[in-house]
Amino acid sequence: LKEANPRAFEHEYMGVPTGTGGEVFMDIDVRTISEEEINNLQYIYHGLDFGFAADPACFIVVAYDRKHETIYLLDEIYKRGMSNRKIAEEIMAKGYSDRYVTCDSAEPKSIADLRDLGIAAKACYKAPGCVEYRIKWMQHRKIVIDPRRTPNAHREFTRYSYAVDRNGVVLSQLVDKDNHSIDATRYAMEKYANRRGN
């Protein structure tokens, strides 16, 4: 961790204050991601967090540079009121229908609908404590975000904070709000976040 994310190391192991204490993701690099840079990224993954009325559906495209432990957020679909057919159409329109899309396993019917519509959808693996574990895994990686490519992911990742009690004390509890792109990224990265030794 000291090599991969010195700021997180100082905060977690040395007790050095590195921010307000409430930020969930502290190693975010907000910058332009060029087409040339994307062409050199090898490991591309897709994640989907279902939503409809109150919550948006969020499809996200990420790349993972294993050597430098860096996650790149490359593209998103982020809308309310989308049927499963509309989600499938938008994914295909962007040219992403040829790869697996790891989805929230809480909606098996929606996953089946997407498969029937030509999307290689699969359910993410869920187990007790997996949300916290995968968030912690992402905290120990650099996350590169281009606000032009993924404006909603940029907003969510940079604002995502731990819960705070009525006295202003930061708690270790994750808030399940405004985290749709974060959830979609967790699903996309589960291949690595579930691996023993990470």
Side-chain angles (χ1 to χ4, degrees), residues 85-104:
R85 177 173 295 280
K86 185 63 177 170
I87 292 170
E89 288 172 356
E90 294 219 11
I91 290 172
M92 287 189 280
K94 283 182 169 264
Y96 297 128
S97 59
D98 61 334
R99 293 185 179 231
Y100 282 109
V101 178
T102 306
C103 308
D104 184 355

Side-chain angles (χ1 to χ4, degrees), residues 47-140:
L48 175 61
D49 186 43
F50 291 107
F52 188 73
D55 293 328
C58 179
F59 169 82
I60 199 150
V61 179
V62 303
Y64 184 49
D65 179 346
R66 293 184 292 183
K67 181 178 179 181
H68 300 101
E69 296 190 331
T70 302
I71 300 168
Y72 295 82
L73 306 187
L74 305 179
D75 200 0
E76 68 177 22
I77 298 168
Y78 190 101
K79 292 181 183 177
R80 288 180 176 81
M82 286 206 302
S83 65
N84 292 331
R85 177 173 295 280
K86 185 63 177 170
I87 292 170
E89 288 172 356
E90 294 219 11
I91 290 172
M92 287 189 280
K94 283 182 169 264
Y96 297 128
S97 59
D98 61 334
R99 293 185 179 231
Y100 282 109
V101 178
T102 306
C103 308
D104 184 355
S105 61
E107 294 206 27
K109 182 182 179 301
S110 293
I111 293 170
D113 286 347
L114 290 178
R115 286 179 184 157
D116 290 343
L117 293 163
I119 302 298
K122 63 177 184 173
C124 71
Y125 172 75
K126 282 192 178 177
C130 71
V131 173
E132 292 79 7
Y133 178 80
R134 291 174 189 161
I135 291 288
K136 192 148 195 88
W137 182 87
M138 291 198 305
Q139 285 176 316
H140 292 172

Side-chain angles (χ1 to χ4, degrees), residues 28-29 40 46 50 57 62 65-66 70 91 97 122 129 135 142 149 162 172 180-181 193:
I28 295 178
D29 184 7
N40 289 321
H46 303 143
F50 291 107
V62 303
D65 179 346
R66 293 184 292 183
T70 302
I91 290 172
S97 59
K122 63 177 184 173
I135 291 288
K142 177 177 281 187
R149 294 181 181 275
Y162 286 106
S172 60
H180 314 291
S181 59

